[in-house]
Amino acid sequence: MAAASLPPAQGWRRGPEPQQQLTLSPCASTAPRRARSATKMLPRFDPGVMETYLDDMREMKIRVHELFRQHPDLLPNVEEGLSKEEHRSLVRRSLKVILQAGYSPLDLLARDPRKYFYLGECLSMVDLSLMVKSGVQYSLWGGSVLNLGSEAHRRRYFDDIAQFRLPGCFAMTELKHGSNVAALQTEAVLDALTDEWVIHTPDEGAIKWWIGNAAEDGRAATVFARLKVPDPNGGPKLVDHGVHAFVVPLRDESGNTLPGVEIRDCGYKVGLNGIDNGAIRFTHVRVPRINLLDRFASVDKSGRYSSPLTSQARRFAATLGELTGGRVGLTAGSVGVLKGAVTIAVRYAALRQQFGPPDSPEVAVLDYQSTQLRLMPLVSTAYALHFAKGLLIDKYVDMKRTREPKLVEEVHALSAGLKAYTTSYTQAALSTCREVCGGHGYAAVNRLGALRSDHDIFQTFEGDNTVLLQQVSAMLLKEYRQQFSGAPLTATYHYLRASLLGALPNNPLVTHDTEPRHLRDPAFLSKALEYRTARMLFTLSLRLRKHGPRLGAFHAWNKCLNHVLDLANAYVESVVYKTFLRAVAGCVDPECRRSLKAMTDLFALRLIEGDMMFRNDEYIAPSKSKAISRLVVQLCSELRGVALNLVDAFAIPDHILRAPIGLGGNGGIGGPQPDAYREYLAAAGFDV
């Protein structure tokens, strides 16, 4: 995936320039005796119009959320008050309600992935355990059968998986191996005499661990194991063809574990206790030879191994590449959580009043500059990641349709980078939202604690974020040289030199330009983020070249690892910004477009402000750096005036949000804010 594979925004046009009218801050208008600070404000917009632009499948969201309004017993006020057994039962019942209402996640995954991922995002604020349970059953268990198996496997399993008649697992992770999938130790040895695979756990380190659906529900699993066959030349040792996927039954229809299968409950976790994670040990479990999911490799009755892919590395990459949908789903769910968290925090900060001038009403917490600097970048990034998630889903759908190799590689890198960036950002944002809401944010009934605990593991499963970011940087480097050691750097140097020159300011005066018009110019912001990515890629290439001959490729990479991670994040942020710009250009409503443009500016300026590289490289002068910081403060102040509208446009209804301090009224679409304190008192048991 080349750094240029995602083109810059085309056709961006500046909307009408804002009138330089000075008006009172929203809070000042209600306090005539207060010192009135003049603030330039963005025009108010209709949250329903913004929602329409954000969400072209909102009718599905309305129907899904209405389904849960009709089943209030599935929406507990305090998740932490449930035992793991109660929570698992709740999630199981919720999933069945979804199926009974006519939704088939596996059908959507196979035929309309956009709706599948959208359903997952809709469920994220209902219960993250429900979203993950659905993902395990359909994206992981069902998806592995569909994507790694043959048409015969599809015919045999599809309907039972779809209707939850055959709950299943995705048994990849082991006690001693998680991210390093190629080193898994579970064995699948062919017994040519009986035409069976013998699935076996050779030692305790190879016990399958953290397997969703395993502790209670799972009746079968896709088990990742080392495929071993007798030596075709008659040698005494088995030939190890690496990790492959096999369908292995776990329980009978009565829920009893089958002979040779031992399952233990992993117990309580930090979060997601509605998921029945278990550990599985196999002791010489026999399954038919046809239970090998054989899209990329097959074994005949004689034990002859064949594959259209010529190397073990290519087969392994193809197998893992087919599991990209899991990362896409987690990205969508994480964006849903981020939207919910900032909705709660912004509404409460606008409601909560603390301190103020003498003899004047108290000031809303959201009117404090420090709070604006904490929350407005979160809102802006929530919008940015919403559009980036849409880009990822569109590319994923195109990839599944065309199977074009370059697009497959691009989606793999983009899904790895966006999953890592989005989930890490959302996790940090959850803590910020909790802190902004003060003591009341710590109350379980206001959900920020449960969301933070449940979402935490999003940074680890479907690929640890640190590992995924390395994959992004590795793919960037791969475009310019074929391997770390021995390859010439001439092409790399010339490409990056051209990229750097193209991203540099046109003349020294630009380095010192502090005018807001320039600082908010997409050309400046895009070039700055492109410069950062190209510069980091160039210097990383040089460092790896320097250290490689002396340390070897592995240790050279490890010595540069922080640089590797920073490069990946920089690249993802550049992609997100360009995607956000295109969204601004596509918005026809002028009031909505003004707010979107302000958020794109804040998103990019905040990145530039926080990266010392721009000052170290003299890309921006100290005076320009200060001007950027002032402009960030100004943009946060402007966005404060439309903050409630921005979160209302996410359209999360109150019965789904379920946080007394964050309720919005009228389904969350621009209605009058209810008495949050009254709701909070009622939740605590007071008669109000």
Side-chain angles (χ1 to χ4, degrees), residues 62-85:
I62 292 171
R63 291 194 300 271
V64 171
H65 287 166
E66 179 60 28
L67 181 63
F68 284 90
R69 189 194 300 275
Q70 297 169 7
H71 294 83
D73 57 306
L74 301 178
L75 299 171
N77 291 329
V78 179
E79 175 187 308
E80 293 91 335
L82 301 173
S83 68
K84 69 178 189 297
E85 291 78 16

PDB file of all heavy atoms in Angstrom, residues 62-85:
ATOM      1  N   ILE A  62     -33.030   3.018  13.519  1.00  0.00           N
ATOM      2  CA  ILE A  62     -34.280   3.307  14.227  1.00  0.00           C
ATOM      3  C   ILE A  62     -35.022   2.013  14.538  1.00  0.00           C
ATOM      4  O   ILE A  62     -35.526   1.817  15.656  1.00  0.00           O
ATOM      5  CB  ILE A  62     -35.150   4.262  13.390  1.00  0.00           C
ATOM      6  CG1 ILE A  62     -34.492   5.649  13.308  1.00  0.00           C
ATOM      7  CG2 ILE A  62     -36.556   4.370  13.975  1.00  0.00           C
ATOM      8  CD1 ILE A  62     -35.162   6.593  12.328  1.00  0.00           C
ATOM      9  N   ARG A  63     -35.078   1.104  13.555  1.00  0.00           N
ATOM     10  CA  ARG A  63     -35.798  -0.162  13.773  1.00  0.00           C
ATOM     11  C   ARG A  63     -35.105  -1.031  14.821  1.00  0.00           C
ATOM     12  O   ARG A  63     -35.768  -1.634  15.673  1.00  0.00           O
ATOM     13  CB  ARG A  63     -35.919  -0.920  12.448  1.00  0.00           C
ATOM     14  CG  ARG A  63     -36.841  -0.266  11.431  1.00  0.00           C
ATOM     15  CD  ARG A  63     -37.185  -1.228  10.302  1.00  0.00           C
ATOM     16  NE  ARG A  63     -35.997  -1.686   9.590  1.00  0.00           N
ATOM     17  CZ  ARG A  63     -35.467  -1.064   8.534  1.00  0.00           C
ATOM     18  NH1 ARG A  63     -36.008   0.061   8.088  1.00  0.00           N
ATOM     19  NH2 ARG A  63     -34.405  -1.560   7.930  1.00  0.00           N
ATOM     20  N   VAL A  64     -33.775  -1.095  14.760  1.00  0.00           N
ATOM     21  CA  VAL A  64     -33.038  -1.917  15.730  1.00  0.00           C
ATOM     22  C   VAL A  64     -33.211  -1.363  17.134  1.00  0.00           C
ATOM     23  O   VAL A  64     -33.485  -2.111  18.092  1.00  0.00           O
ATOM     24  CB  VAL A  64     -31.544  -1.989  15.349  1.00  0.00           C
ATOM     25  CG1 VAL A  64     -30.737  -2.641  16.470  1.00  0.00           C
ATOM     26  CG2 VAL A  64     -31.361  -2.780  14.054  1.00  0.00           C
ATOM     27  N   HIS A  65     -33.085  -0.056  17.281  1.00  0.00           N
ATOM     28  CA  HIS A  65     -33.217   0.536  18.609  1.00  0.00           C
ATOM     29  C   HIS A  65     -34.658   0.457  19.117  1.00  0.00           C
ATOM     30  O   HIS A  65     -34.894   0.298  20.323  1.00  0.00           O
ATOM     31  CB  HIS A  65     -32.721   1.982  18.582  1.00  0.00           C
ATOM     32  CG  HIS A  65     -31.231   2.086  18.474  1.00  0.00           C
ATOM     33  ND1 HIS A  65     -30.584   3.266  18.153  1.00  0.00           N
ATOM     34  CD2 HIS A  65     -30.257   1.151  18.665  1.00  0.00           C
ATOM     35  CE1 HIS A  65     -29.269   3.055  18.138  1.00  0.00           C
ATOM     36  NE2 HIS A  65     -29.053   1.789  18.450  1.00  0.00           N
ATOM     37  N   GLU A  66     -35.622   0.549  18.218  1.00  0.00           N
ATOM     38  CA  GLU A  66     -37.019   0.399  18.621  1.00  0.00           C
ATOM     39  C   GLU A  66     -37.281  -1.019  19.114  1.00  0.00           C
ATOM     40  O   GLU A  66     -38.090  -1.231  20.033  1.00  0.00           O
ATOM     41  CB  GLU A  66     -37.941   0.735  17.446  1.00  0.00           C
ATOM     42  CG  GLU A  66     -39.430   0.592  17.746  1.00  0.00           C
ATOM     43  CD  GLU A  66     -39.904   1.488  18.884  1.00  0.00           C
ATOM     44  OE1 GLU A  66     -39.298   2.562  19.090  1.00  0.00           O
ATOM     45  OE2 GLU A  66     -40.869   1.105  19.575  1.00  0.00           O
ATOM     46  N   LEU A  67     -36.608  -1.978  18.526  1.00  0.00           N
ATOM     47  CA  LEU A  67     -36.742  -3.366  18.969  1.00  0.00           C
ATOM     48  C   LEU A  67     -36.394  -3.489  20.447  1.00  0.00           C
ATOM     49  O   LEU A  67     -37.078  -4.197  21.211  1.00  0.00           O
ATOM     50  CB  LEU A  67     -35.827  -4.250  18.120  1.00  0.00           C
ATOM     51  CG  LEU A  67     -35.825  -5.754  18.406  1.00  0.00           C
ATOM     52  CD1 LEU A  67     -37.197  -6.351  18.131  1.00  0.00           C
ATOM     53  CD2 LEU A  67     -34.770  -6.445  17.535  1.00  0.00           C
ATOM     54  N   PHE A  68     -35.354  -2.776  20.885  1.00  0.00           N
ATOM     55  CA  PHE A  68     -34.966  -2.849  22.290  1.00  0.00           C
ATOM     56  C   PHE A  68     -35.863  -1.987  23.175  1.00  0.00           C
ATOM     57  O   PHE A  68     -36.009  -2.270  24.369  1.00  0.00           O
ATOM     58  CB  PHE A  68     -33.490  -2.455  22.441  1.00  0.00           C
ATOM     59  CG  PHE A  68     -32.559  -3.542  21.999  1.00  0.00           C
ATOM     60  CD1 PHE A  68     -32.115  -3.611  20.688  1.00  0.00           C
ATOM     61  CD2 PHE A  68     -32.161  -4.530  22.883  1.00  0.00           C
ATOM     62  CE1 PHE A  68     -31.284  -4.631  20.265  1.00  0.00           C
ATOM     63  CE2 PHE A  68     -31.326  -5.559  22.477  1.00  0.00           C
ATOM     64  CZ  PHE A  68     -30.886  -5.610  21.161  1.00  0.00           C
ATOM     65  N   ARG A  69     -36.469  -0.957  22.612  1.00  0.00           N
ATOM     66  CA  ARG A  69     -37.464  -0.214  23.388  1.00  0.00           C
ATOM     67  C   ARG A  69     -38.625  -1.132  23.756  1.00  0.00           C
ATOM     68  O   ARG A  69     -39.216  -1.013  24.833  1.00  0.00           O
ATOM     69  CB  ARG A  69     -37.970   0.989  22.587  1.00  0.00           C
ATOM     70  CG  ARG A  69     -38.859   1.928  23.425  1.00  0.00           C
ATOM     71  CD  ARG A  69     -39.620   2.902  22.531  1.00  0.00           C
ATOM     72  NE  ARG A  69     -38.757   3.751  21.745  1.00  0.00           N
ATOM     73  CZ  ARG A  69     -38.227   4.893  22.182  1.00  0.00           C
ATOM     74  NH1 ARG A  69     -38.496   5.311  23.405  1.00  0.00           N
ATOM     75  NH2 ARG A  69     -37.455   5.616  21.396  1.00  0.00           N
ATOM     76  N   GLN A  70     -38.955  -2.049  22.868  1.00  0.00           N
ATOM     77  CA  GLN A  70     -40.038  -2.989  23.118  1.00  0.00           C
ATOM     78  C   GLN A  70     -39.639  -4.116  24.064  1.00  0.00           C
ATOM     79  O   GLN A  70     -40.493  -4.880  24.500  1.00  0.00           O
ATOM     80  CB  GLN A  70     -40.506  -3.586  21.781  1.00  0.00           C
ATOM     81  CG  GLN A  70     -41.092  -2.567  20.827  1.00  0.00           C
ATOM     82  CD  GLN A  70     -41.284  -3.126  19.432  1.00  0.00           C
ATOM     83  OE1 GLN A  70     -41.100  -4.324  19.194  1.00  0.00           O
ATOM     84  NE2 GLN A  70     -41.646  -2.257  18.491  1.00  0.00           N
ATOM     85  N   HIS A  71     -38.355  -4.218  24.376  1.00  0.00           N
ATOM     86  CA  HIS A  71     -37.851  -5.240  25.301  1.00  0.00           C
ATOM     87  C   HIS A  71     -36.983  -4.570  26.358  1.00  0.00           C
ATOM     88  O   HIS A  71     -35.765  -4.765  26.405  1.00  0.00           O
ATOM     89  CB  HIS A  71     -37.044  -6.314  24.556  1.00  0.00           C
ATOM     90  CG  HIS A  71     -37.856  -7.144  23.617  1.00  0.00           C
ATOM     91  ND1 HIS A  71     -38.171  -6.729  22.332  1.00  0.00           N
ATOM     92  CD2 HIS A  71     -38.426  -8.375  23.772  1.00  0.00           C
ATOM     93  CE1 HIS A  71     -38.889  -7.658  21.740  1.00  0.00           C
ATOM     94  NE2 HIS A  71     -39.071  -8.660  22.580  1.00  0.00           N
ATOM     95  N   PRO A  72     -37.588  -3.757  27.224  1.00  0.00           N
ATOM     96  CA  PRO A  72     -36.793  -3.019  28.219  1.00  0.00           C
ATOM     97  C   PRO A  72     -36.046  -3.934  29.181  1.00  0.00           C
ATOM     98  O   PRO A  72     -35.069  -3.506  29.800  1.00  0.00           O
ATOM     99  CB  PRO A  72     -37.844  -2.167  28.947  1.00  0.00           C
ATOM    100  CG  PRO A  72     -39.152  -2.868  28.704  1.00  0.00           C
ATOM    101  CD  PRO A  72     -39.029  -3.484  27.343  1.00  0.00           C
ATOM    102  N   ASP A  73     -36.484  -5.183  29.308  1.00  0.00           N
ATOM    103  CA  ASP A  73     -35.789  -6.116  30.187  1.00  0.00           C
ATOM    104  C   ASP A  73     -34.388  -6.442  29.674  1.00  0.00           C
ATOM    105  O   ASP A  73     -33.547  -6.964  30.428  1.00  0.00           O
ATOM    106  CB  ASP A  73     -36.585  -7.412  30.329  1.00  0.00           C
ATOM    107  CG  ASP A  73     -36.860  -8.076  28.985  1.00  0.00           C
ATOM    108  OD1 ASP A  73     -37.416  -7.396  28.100  1.00  0.00           O
ATOM    109  OD2 ASP A  73     -36.520  -9.258  28.821  1.00  0.00           O
ATOM    110  N   LEU A  74     -34.104  -6.120  28.410  1.00  0.00           N
ATOM    111  CA  LEU A  74     -32.785  -6.377  27.834  1.00  0.00           C
ATOM    112  C   LEU A  74     -31.842  -5.183  27.992  1.00  0.00           C
ATOM    113  O   LEU A  74     -30.708  -5.226  27.510  1.00  0.00           O
ATOM    114  CB  LEU A  74     -32.921  -6.720  26.345  1.00  0.00           C
ATOM    115  CG  LEU A  74     -33.793  -7.935  26.014  1.00  0.00           C
ATOM    116  CD1 LEU A  74     -33.871  -8.133  24.509  1.00  0.00           C
ATOM    117  CD2 LEU A  74     -33.252  -9.195  26.691  1.00  0.00           C
ATOM    118  N   LEU A  75     -32.329  -4.123  28.664  1.00  0.00           N
ATOM    119  CA  LEU A  75     -31.543  -2.900  28.822  1.00  0.00           C
ATOM    120  C   LEU A  75     -31.362  -2.589  30.305  1.00  0.00           C
ATOM    121  O   LEU A  75     -32.027  -1.713  30.859  1.00  0.00           O
ATOM    122  CB  LEU A  75     -32.233  -1.732  28.110  1.00  0.00           C
ATOM    123  CG  LEU A  75     -32.430  -1.882  26.595  1.00  0.00           C
ATOM    124  CD1 LEU A  75     -33.313  -0.763  26.054  1.00  0.00           C
ATOM    125  CD2 LEU A  75     -31.085  -1.899  25.877  1.00  0.00           C
ATOM    126  N   PRO A  76     -30.457  -3.282  30.991  1.00  0.00           N
ATOM    127  CA  PRO A  76     -30.270  -3.037  32.423  1.00  0.00           C
ATOM    128  C   PRO A  76     -29.668  -1.655  32.674  1.00  0.00           C
ATOM    129  O   PRO A  76     -28.896  -1.141  31.855  1.00  0.00           O
ATOM    130  CB  PRO A  76     -29.290  -4.137  32.843  1.00  0.00           C
ATOM    131  CG  PRO A  76     -28.532  -4.462  31.606  1.00  0.00           C
ATOM    132  CD  PRO A  76     -29.521  -4.302  30.476  1.00  0.00           C
ATOM    133  N   ASN A  77     -30.039  -1.062  33.794  1.00  0.00           N
ATOM    134  CA  ASN A  77     -29.504   0.255  34.129  1.00  0.00           C
ATOM    135  C   ASN A  77     -28.030   0.192  34.522  1.00  0.00           C
ATOM    136  O   ASN A  77     -27.265   1.113  34.229  1.00  0.00           O
ATOM    137  CB  ASN A  77     -30.315   0.880  35.275  1.00  0.00           C
ATOM    138  CG  ASN A  77     -31.715   1.253  34.842  1.00  0.00           C
ATOM    139  OD1 ASN A  77     -31.938   1.601  33.686  1.00  0.00           O
ATOM    140  ND2 ASN A  77     -32.669   1.166  35.758  1.00  0.00           N
ATOM    141  N   VAL A  78     -27.639  -0.872  35.186  1.00  0.00           N
ATOM    142  CA  VAL A  78     -26.262  -0.996  35.671  1.00  0.00           C
ATOM    143  C   VAL A  78     -25.728  -2.364  35.280  1.00  0.00           C
ATOM    144  O   VAL A  78     -26.092  -3.379  35.870  1.00  0.00           O
ATOM    145  CB  VAL A  78     -26.178  -0.802  37.204  1.00  0.00           C
ATOM    146  CG1 VAL A  78     -24.739  -0.959  37.678  1.00  0.00           C
ATOM    147  CG2 VAL A  78     -26.710   0.578  37.596  1.00  0.00           C
ATOM    148  N   GLU A  79     -24.858  -2.385  34.287  1.00  0.00           N
ATOM    149  CA  GLU A  79     -24.277  -3.639  33.818  1.00  0.00           C
ATOM    150  C   GLU A  79     -23.438  -4.304  34.905  1.00  0.00           C
ATOM    151  O   GLU A  79     -23.423  -5.530  35.050  1.00  0.00           O
ATOM    152  CB  GLU A  79     -23.412  -3.360  32.590  1.00  0.00           C
ATOM    153  CG  GLU A  79     -22.645  -4.550  32.056  1.00  0.00           C
ATOM    154  CD  GLU A  79     -21.682  -4.148  30.961  1.00  0.00           C
ATOM    155  OE1 GLU A  79     -22.124  -3.483  30.002  1.00  0.00           O
ATOM    156  OE2 GLU A  79     -20.496  -4.494  31.058  1.00  0.00           O
ATOM    157  N   GLU A  80     -22.729  -3.471  35.687  1.00  0.00           N
ATOM    158  CA  GLU A  80     -21.834  -4.027  36.699  1.00  0.00           C
ATOM    159  C   GLU A  80     -22.573  -4.795  37.794  1.00  0.00           C
ATOM    160  O   GLU A  80     -21.951  -5.568  38.531  1.00  0.00           O
ATOM    161  CB  GLU A  80     -20.996  -2.907  37.353  1.00  0.00           C
ATOM    162  CG  GLU A  80     -19.989  -2.244  36.436  1.00  0.00           C
ATOM    163  CD  GLU A  80     -20.557  -1.032  35.709  1.00  0.00           C
ATOM    164  OE1 GLU A  80     -21.797  -0.967  35.530  1.00  0.00           O
ATOM    165  OE2 GLU A  80     -19.774  -0.157  35.328  1.00  0.00           O
ATOM    166  N   GLY A  81     -23.883  -4.584  37.914  1.00  0.00           N
ATOM    167  CA  GLY A  81     -24.651  -5.283  38.933  1.00  0.00           C
ATOM    168  C   GLY A  81     -25.014  -6.705  38.560  1.00  0.00           C
ATOM    169  O   GLY A  81     -25.576  -7.442  39.381  1.00  0.00           O
ATOM    170  N   LEU A  82     -24.703  -7.116  37.326  1.00  0.00           N
ATOM    171  CA  LEU A  82     -25.035  -8.460  36.871  1.00  0.00           C
ATOM    172  C   LEU A  82     -23.885  -9.421  37.152  1.00  0.00           C
ATOM    173  O   LEU A  82     -22.717  -9.076  36.977  1.00  0.00           O
ATOM    174  CB  LEU A  82     -25.316  -8.457  35.362  1.00  0.00           C
ATOM    175  CG  LEU A  82     -26.442  -7.555  34.852  1.00  0.00           C
ATOM    176  CD1 LEU A  82     -26.464  -7.562  33.326  1.00  0.00           C
ATOM    177  CD2 LEU A  82     -27.784  -8.010  35.398  1.00  0.00           C
ATOM    178  N   SER A  83     -24.223 -10.634  37.557  1.00  0.00           N
ATOM    179  CA  SER A  83     -23.208 -11.685  37.596  1.00  0.00           C
ATOM    180  C   SER A  83     -22.872 -12.073  36.161  1.00  0.00           C
ATOM    181  O   SER A  83     -23.627 -11.770  35.232  1.00  0.00           O
ATOM    182  CB  SER A  83     -23.723 -12.904  38.357  1.00  0.00           C
ATOM    183  OG  SER A  83     -24.766 -13.533  37.617  1.00  0.00           O
ATOM    184  N   LYS A  84     -21.755 -12.760  35.969  1.00  0.00           N
ATOM    185  CA  LYS A  84     -21.413 -13.158  34.605  1.00  0.00           C
ATOM    186  C   LYS A  84     -22.466 -14.109  34.037  1.00  0.00           C
ATOM    187  O   LYS A  84     -22.775 -14.066  32.844  1.00  0.00           O
ATOM    188  CB  LYS A  84     -20.016 -13.770  34.538  1.00  0.00           C
ATOM    189  CG  LYS A  84     -19.810 -15.122  35.185  1.00  0.00           C
ATOM    190  CD  LYS A  84     -18.360 -15.591  34.976  1.00  0.00           C
ATOM    191  CE  LYS A  84     -18.150 -17.037  35.412  1.00  0.00           C
ATOM    192  NZ  LYS A  84     -18.376 -17.253  36.835  1.00  0.00           N
ATOM    193  N   GLU A  85     -23.062 -14.938  34.881  1.00  0.00           N
ATOM    194  CA  GLU A  85     -24.106 -15.847  34.409  1.00  0.00           C
ATOM    195  C   GLU A  85     -25.342 -15.069  33.962  1.00  0.00           C
ATOM    196  O   GLU A  85     -25.940 -15.372  32.918  1.00  0.00           O
ATOM    197  CB  GLU A  85     -24.471 -16.853  35.498  1.00  0.00           C
ATOM    198  CG  GLU A  85     -23.391 -17.880  35.808  1.00  0.00           C
ATOM    199  CD  GLU A  85     -22.269 -17.316  36.672  1.00  0.00           C
ATOM    200  OE1 GLU A  85     -22.467 -16.237  37.282  1.00  0.00           O
ATOM    201  OE2 GLU A  85     -21.187 -17.941  36.733  1.00  0.00           O
TER     202      GLU A  85
END
